[in-house]
Amino acid sequence: DETEMLVTWVVKSGSVHDTPTVEYGPSEGSLHLKATAEATHFKEDKTEFRTFRALMTGLTAGGSTVYYRVGSSGTAWSKTFHFRTLSRSSSSSSWLPRLAIYGDLGYTNAQSTPYLVKEVAAGHLDALFHIGDFAYDLHSKDGERGHDFMEMIEPIAAQVPYMTIPGNHEEHANFSHYDARFSMLGDRHQPAQHKEGKPPLNHRLNNHYHSMTVGPVKVIMINTEYYYYTGYGWGQISR
């Protein structure tokens, strides 16, 4: 949905004394809109952190600039980031999105990253699609490699949609480290969105099978890794 943007951040340790929030608006000095984050606690072996997700809504599609920051007044605020909204797909079949599509981006020797940062900063890309294999690996060094990787891609992922699907390197603990860090929304026709009231964000997340329309392009992302890791059961394959 071009009028929404989901932002995700992680707190490694310590206490959060009030409600984590995203503040956003049309300028850096006018962050008058707020969205409360939903929190999840992740623990696997020696890795432990909390993930916060907040959904910005009511955005104006078609290239409007949105400024935002995340955090809380009782703990700390991030710096202010900004992004531009995408054109409405239903009315812009002549608009050609500029997409970067790649896989296998590690933290060590990540020679593509400076070029991606420059392209995003110059406004040359509308969205990025990272097709599997992150950080090498997200769970390594008790999750510290994952933290380092996410900080590395922050200049990219904070400014354009960073769309993902897991690869074989995300298999550890049934893809749980990947799911704890990334937040792909199911498309707008997903039944969970039409339940009475406002469904929780975690009911809308679909990190392994999702699709979107970007201008004239229909993108379908499917996790095929399930076929190789049947030890986690056959239910995921059936889906």
Side-chain angles (χ1 to χ4, degrees), residues 150-189:
M150 300 306 284
E151 288 185 3
M152 182 185 79
I153 67 168
E154 182 183 78
I156 306 165
Q159 295 194 70
V160 295
Y162 199 94
M163 312 305 293
T164 66
I165 202 79
N168 65 296
H169 279 264
E170 285 65 68
E171 170 269 336
H172 179 80
N174 198 10
F175 304 91
S176 59
H177 285 253
Y178 165 82
D179 284 334
R181 294 185 181 276
F182 293 101
S183 309
M184 302 296 106
L185 289 177
D187 71 31
R188 70 190 74 196
H189 303 298

Side-chain angles (χ1 to χ4, degrees), residues 9-234:
W9 69 100
V10 162
V11 174
K12 290 197 287 187
S13 60
S15 300
V16 176
H17 301 293
D18 54 5
T19 304
T21 302
V22 56
E23 296 183 341
Y24 61 104
S27 68
E28 192 166 357
S30 182
L31 305 179
H32 59 279
L33 300 172
K34 296 183 179 182
T36 301
E38 293 183 12
T40 57
H41 176 256
F42 179 77
K43 181 173 176 56
E44 194 274 323
D45 197 15
K46 296 180 181 179
T47 305
E48 187 172 9
F49 56 83
R50 281 168 295 165
T51 302
F52 298 98
R53 297 177 170 94
L55 185 66
M56 292 176 263
T57 61
L59 308 179
T60 302
S64 297
T65 300
V66 179
Y67 292 82
Y68 72 100
R69 66 177 186 172
V70 303
S72 62
S73 56
T75 307
W77 289 101
S78 70
K79 68 178 183 180
T80 301
F81 302 100
H82 68 276
F83 63 91
R84 292 179 65 83
T85 59
L86 298 181
S87 297
R88 280 192 177 278
S89 300
S90 58
S91 60
S92 56
S93 59
S94 61
W95 170 62
L96 294 178
R98 299 160 300 176
L99 312 176
I101 304 171
Y102 55 88
D104 301 88
L105 181 64
Y107 174 68
T108 303
N109 197 31
Q111 295 192 27
S112 300
T113 306
Y115 298 97
L116 291 168
V117 171
K118 287 182 181 179
E119 290 287 284
V120 168
H124 293 165
L125 293 171
D126 297 304
L128 286 88
F129 293 84
H130 188 155
I131 315 300
D133 295 351
F134 301 80
Y136 294 109
D137 290 317
L138 293 172
H139 65 275
S140 297
K141 297 185 177 180
D142 299 326
E144 287 300 318
R145 178 63 56 81
H147 293 317
D148 291 340
F149 177 81
M150 300 306 284
E151 288 185 3
M152 182 185 79
I153 67 168
E154 182 183 78
I156 306 165
Q159 295 194 70
V160 295
Y162 199 94
M163 312 305 293
T164 66
I165 202 79
N168 65 296
H169 279 264
E170 285 65 68
E171 170 269 336
H172 179 80
N174 198 10
F175 304 91
S176 59
H177 285 253
Y178 165 82
D179 284 334
R181 294 185 181 276
F182 293 101
S183 309
M184 302 296 106
L185 289 177
D187 71 31
R188 70 190 74 196
H189 303 298
Q190 198 173 338
Q193 293 193 39
H194 300 291
K195 292 180 179 179
E196 290 185 13
K198 185 178 179 182
L201 272 178
N202 60 16
H203 287 185
R204 295 182 57 184
L205 294 181
N206 192 345
N207 277 348
H208 299 262
Y209 310 96
H210 48 273
S211 65
M212 67 221 71
T213 302
V214 189
V217 182
K218 181 70 173 182
V219 182
I220 300 171
M221 304 182 75
I222 301 173
N223 175 11
T224 57
E225 299 300 330
Y226 282 150
Y227 295 95
Y228 298 93
Y229 299 106
T230 56
Y232 298 124
W234 292 87

